[in-house]
Amino acid sequence: MKKLLNVFLLLAAVFIASCSNEAVEKLAREVESFNKDCPRQFGTTVLRSIIYDKSDNEVVLTYIVDEKYTDMSTLSGVDAEQRRYLQAFLGSESTAGFLNDLVAAEASFCIRFEGNESGITESVSLSADELKAIDLKSTGDDNDREQLEGLVALANRQAPSEIIEGVTFSSVVLADSSIDYFYVYDPVKVTIMSDSLEAMRKLAAEELREELTAPESRQQFDIIRKLDLAVRLIYSPADTTAEEYKLVITSEEIAGF
């Protein structure tokens, strides 16, 4: 299953505990405290450092991306989607304390990604004025959906991509009551039997449970449960003479993970 989880979700594991309201020196001490825990491993990505550069008045997070699992090109040219997600994330209740600290210090915020093999770097930044403009009153379901919509947009930048031989991830859509993953399968290479669908569904549910209950996915998991969303996996044949198959993991199942 193509993961919705994006490396930006790693922010949740770093800043949710922030509650400082002081300005420059307080922000510097807070960031220094976070940095003492670095490097930190989050799945296949490592948070190398969190630095407050006083000369530029900017907080910079640097992640090392394992290029065996993440193609750096998927992080290139997606500035609009990245900024959309960051604005929604920093405007959430869970990160309000950290955003207040940035605004009080009139600091900017930057996330930098570096490929562990190529050394290629990609970054996304929000200026002090952009941080001030984030509406902290936009908390609640609307903001939660905005965060997921940002992640969906980022995931769609990686499409199409082959998951296994004969199965290609084509898109993901945030619907009213579900997150829908769309795949195209080649009936010549892949055979899906109707009597095996329940076993496939259970396997997909277990994979989703492992993904969402990982520490770095906690924010995403909480939002999906709060919005009472199901997850649907929809497999359409490249050959229109074959059947389409749908696997549904209900919101009740997800709530019980």
Side-chain angles (χ1 to χ4, degrees):
M1 176 170 52
K2 188 69 177 181
K3 292 185 177 182
L4 175 60
L5 175 65
N6 182 269
V7 285
F8 290 101
L9 284 173
L10 304 178
L11 288 168
V14 178
F15 291 122
I16 284 178
S18 175
C19 59
S20 171
N21 289 308
E22 296 183 32
V24 174
E25 292 304 320
K26 181 62 178 179
L27 180 60
R29 290 194 298 270
E30 182 179 23
V31 171
E32 181 181 5
S33 177
F34 285 132
N35 193 53
K36 288 179 180 179
D37 293 330
C38 294
R40 297 176 63 181
Q41 184 80 39
F42 295 101
T44 60
T45 302
V46 175
L47 174 60
R48 184 172 66 187
S49 63
I50 310 171
I51 302 297
Y52 181 27
D53 185 342
K54 289 186 179 180
S55 62
D56 291 332
N57 199 17
E58 182 176 54
V59 173
V60 181
L61 282 74
T62 300
Y63 288 98
I64 304 300
V65 178
D66 190 334
E67 293 178 90
K68 291 181 180 178
Y69 301 96
T70 301
D71 186 339
M72 289 298 293
S73 66
T74 65
L75 298 176
S76 176
V78 293
D79 188 64
E81 290 91 340
Q82 292 169 343
R83 291 161 68 84
R84 177 183 175 188
Y85 171 73
L86 283 180
Q87 288 171 331
F89 176 79
L90 290 173
S92 67
E93 290 178 302
S94 61
T95 54
F98 179 62
L99 178 60
N100 287 339
D101 293 342
L102 288 168
V103 170
E106 298 186 345
S108 56
F109 183 65
C110 174
I111 303 175
R112 182 175 297 127
F113 299 97
E114 181 179 330
N116 68 328
E117 296 179 355
S118 66
I120 293 173
T121 60
E122 299 289 345
S123 62
V124 58
S125 300
L126 293 176
S127 68
D129 287 340
E130 287 175 309
L131 293 173
K132 290 177 184 177
I134 294 175
D135 185 3
L136 287 176
K137 295 180 181 179
S138 65
T139 56
D141 289 357
D142 289 343
N143 182 271
D144 291 333
R145 287 193 69 88
E146 285 180 9
Q147 290 188 59
L148 288 183
E149 286 169 355
L151 290 173
V152 163
L154 286 165
N156 280 325
R157 283 297 191 112
Q158 302 175 46
S161 58
E162 190 172 56
I163 305 304
I164 60 173
E165 185 177 6
V167 179
T168 299
F169 164 68
S170 59
S171 67
V172 57
V173 174
L174 178 58
D176 290 340
S177 59
S178 63
I179 301 173
D180 297 342
Y181 292 86
F182 293 89
Y183 302 87
V184 175
Y185 73 94
D186 184 346
V188 175
K189 298 179 179 179
V190 176
T191 300
I192 300 177
M193 305 296 293
S194 297
D195 57 4
S196 67
L197 289 179
E198 181 57 21
M200 289 176 59
R201 195 197 69 78
K202 289 181 178 179
L203 183 62
E206 179 60 22
E207 180 182 347
L208 182 65
R209 184 193 66 76
E210 292 179 1
E211 178 184 334
L212 290 179
T213 56
E216 65 269 20
S217 303
R218 190 70 205 183
Q219 178 94 345
Q220 181 190 13
F221 186 28
D222 288 344
I223 290 175
I224 290 173
R225 289 195 300 179
K226 181 179 178 182
L227 297 180
D228 197 30
L229 296 174
V231 169
R232 302 196 307 163
L233 312 177
I234 301 165
Y235 296 86
S236 299
D239 178 354
T240 55
T241 61
E243 290 187 58
E244 179 180 87
Y245 297 97
K246 295 180 182 180
L247 307 180
V248 180
I249 304 166
T250 67
S251 59
E252 291 80 9
E253 287 179 277
I254 294 172
F257 284 171

